Amino acid sequence: MAIEITEQNFQTEVLESKVPVLIDFWASWCGPCRMMGPIVEELAGELSDKVKVGKVNVDEQEALAQKFSIMSIPTFMVFKDGKSVAQEVGGRSKEDMKQFVLGNI
């Protein structure tokens, strides 16, 4: 299951994570974000041995959205060893998302 990422836990859950982290920047009013929600949750389960999955609500965590220059949502970022190594914007199929994650960890 994806975990909620906030300013308070970003350092420990993402930057200090021992495993790569996929972050989904989203908002409840965003149609494509709602479409991607179940896919992100499925991947969180399927890839739990390889990657941690987190979600950042950009309305509630504006500082994080600004820090990473999130202009469009959904935006997906992969963090590895405390650094952003990949970013994709927009909805996509589950298979495309899986390839994006696996290709960047």
Side-chain angles (χ1 to χ4, degrees):
M1 188 172 134
I3 55 175
E4 183 178 349
I5 301 295
T6 65
E7 279 186 86
Q8 290 71 33
N9 70 4
F10 189 82
Q11 181 74 30
T12 54
E13 293 289 355
V14 181
L15 300 182
E16 297 173 1
S17 177
K18 301 285 187 240
V19 296
V21 183
L22 169 67
I23 300 290
D24 173 9
F25 289 89
W26 71 287
S28 59
W29 49 264
C30 164
C33 298
R34 288 196 308 269
M35 179 190 83
M36 292 302 296
I39 292 173
V40 171
E41 289 294 339
E42 285 177 33
L43 290 177
E46 288 178 23
L47 302 176
S48 62
D49 59 331
K50 294 179 178 68
V51 68
K52 183 189 298 186
V53 177
K55 295 176 73 72
V56 173
N57 183 320
V58 297
D59 289 335
E60 296 172 2
Q61 303 297 323
E62 291 178 25
L64 283 177
Q66 287 177 343
K67 181 177 182 174
F68 294 102
S69 303
I70 304 302
M71 299 294 170
S72 300
I73 51 175
T75 292
F76 304 96
M77 295 180 78
V78 175
F79 287 81
K80 193 172 176 182
D81 300 322
K83 296 177 182 64
S84 171
V85 295
Q87 180 173 328
E88 289 284 334
V89 178
R92 58 204 58 235
S93 71
K94 180 180 173 185
E95 197 52 42
D96 283 351
M97 272 302 295
K98 193 172 191 175
Q99 291 307 315
F100 166 68
V101 174
L102 294 176
N104 288 292
I105 60 171

